């Protein structure tokens, strides 16, 4: 029994989601082999080899893997699948793009967004926007799984796994990379940040988002947004936290002007400490908040910034 784990990285550094997925994989049993596929992922492979619990790192270097294109990655994984009982990846944008393709090519179901492991074939995952937890048992010979990083602690560093360079698989040629448009920011990446401040529809405009950005910069926090704020054009898509956005579990989550729709709560309710600022005392966000302030955000946030 062995686990093949697709590493999440940017060809320079390993994403924290990979270390959390290693923790989940350990509960499945068997040796863990981490697959690092990229245009030049030697440094990433060395980082993966240091993770506790990793037995081997497979490094596939090819230009076709340089931009997280799902089809070449899926072809590579399927070519390696014969030696593994479990094929897992973080439930990130990339993982959610690749693993359903892998499952289809292997004629297996994909078990998505797991938050718990009860054995080699039994897993826990949220349903109904996180309002219920389902325990699922798979009879597939090969389990194809994405892991919700917010539900697992990151594996430590202390390992010394071997690194094996492997050949690239034939590129199916179904798609090609054109360009990446990346938002440049000095703030922490949203899914790995320890502190997050999110704004909602109550912010009123894109310009008003500067109010929470100033506070975020003072405490070293990432900036998020509700879907309503994103749909209204107040914040870019990659800020979105929620069922159809990013799932986060920081040490501190501050929700500003967010009513707390069920879809948003599904993406942040596992945060260690939740603070809500909203002028509507009946807002659902207060039901999950550890600290709630009923106040006008345009009055409260400048005072908070001044106090900091």
């Amino acid at each position: 029994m062995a686990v093949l784990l697709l590493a999440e990285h940017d060809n320079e550094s390993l994403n924290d989601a990979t270390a959390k997925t290693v923790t989940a994989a350990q509960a499945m049993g068997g040796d863990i082999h981490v697959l690092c596929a990229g245009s030049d992922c030697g440094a990433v492979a060395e980082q993966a080899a240091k993770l506790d619990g990793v037995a081997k790192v497979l490094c596939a270097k090819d230009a076709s893997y340089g931009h997280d294109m799902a089809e070449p990655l899926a072809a590579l994984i399927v070519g390696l699948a014969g030696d593994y009982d479990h094929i897992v990846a973080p439930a990130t944008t990339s993982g959610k793009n690749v693993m359903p393709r892998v499952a289809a090519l292997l004629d297996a179901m994909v078990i998505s967004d797991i938050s718990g492991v009860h054995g080699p074939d039994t897993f826990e995952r949220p349903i109904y926007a996180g309002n219920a937890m389902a325990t699922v048992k798979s009879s597939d010979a090969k389990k194809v799984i994405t892991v919700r990083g917010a539900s697992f602690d990151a594996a430590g560093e202390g390992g010394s796994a071997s690194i094996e360079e492997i050949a690239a698989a034939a590129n199916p040629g179904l798609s090609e990379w054109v360009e990446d448009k990346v938002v440049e920011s000095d703030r922490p990446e949203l899914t790995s940040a320890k502190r997050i401040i999110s704004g909602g529809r109550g912010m009123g405009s894109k310009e008003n988002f500067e109010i929470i950005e100033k506070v975020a910069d003072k405490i070293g926090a990432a900036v998020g947004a509700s879907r309503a704020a994103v749909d209204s054009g107040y914040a870019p898509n990659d800020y979105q936290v929620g069922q159809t956005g990013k799932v986060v579990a920081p040490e501190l989550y501050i929700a500003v002007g967010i009513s707390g729709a069920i879809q948003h709560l599904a993406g942040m309710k596992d945060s260690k400490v939740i603070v809500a600022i909203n002028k509507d005392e009946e807002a659902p966000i207060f039901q999950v908040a550890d600290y709630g302030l009923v106040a006008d955000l345009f009055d409260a946030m400048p005072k908070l910034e001044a106090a900091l």
Side-chain angles (χ1 to χ4, degrees), residues 254-269:
I254 304 176
V256 183
I258 295 175
S259 62
I262 185 174
Q263 290 85 356
H264 185 76
L265 298 183
M268 46 66 70
K269 65 182 181 181

Side-chain angles (χ1 to χ4, degrees), residues 145-165:
I145 300 163
T146 62
V147 176
R148 175 176 283 202
S151 300
F152 297 91
D153 295 326
E157 292 189 358
S160 55
S162 61
I163 300 175
E164 177 185 336
E165 291 206 8

Side-chain angles (χ1 to χ4, degrees), residues 175-190:
S175 61
E176 64 179 19
W177 174 79
V178 177
E179 66 174 330
D180 287 335
K181 293 186 178 180
V182 181
V183 177
E184 297 291 339
S185 176
D186 293 330
R187 300 188 185 97
E189 203 278 324
L190 195 58

Side-chain angles (χ1 to χ4, degrees), residues 95-185:
K96 291 176 179 178
N97 194 16
V98 175
M99 299 310 273
R101 299 172 193 271
V102 171
L105 291 169
L106 294 175
D107 195 24
M109 65 178 278
V110 62
I111 307 170
S112 61
D113 221 24
I114 68 164
S115 56
V117 180
H118 298 309
D121 60 358
T122 308
F123 311 95
E124 184 179 278
R125 61 181 301 274
I127 58 174
Y128 301 128
N131 280 301
M133 303 302 291
T135 300
V136 296
K137 185 172 184 177
S138 173
S139 59
D140 285 333
K142 296 189 183 300
K143 281 71 173 174
V144 181
I145 300 163
T146 62
V147 176
R148 175 176 283 202
S151 300
F152 297 91
D153 295 326
E157 292 189 358
S160 55
S162 61
I163 300 175
E164 177 185 336
E165 291 206 8
I166 61 173
N171 189 340
L174 299 172
S175 61
E176 64 179 19
W177 174 79
V178 177
E179 66 174 330
D180 287 335
K181 293 186 178 180
V182 181
V183 177
E184 297 291 339
S185 176

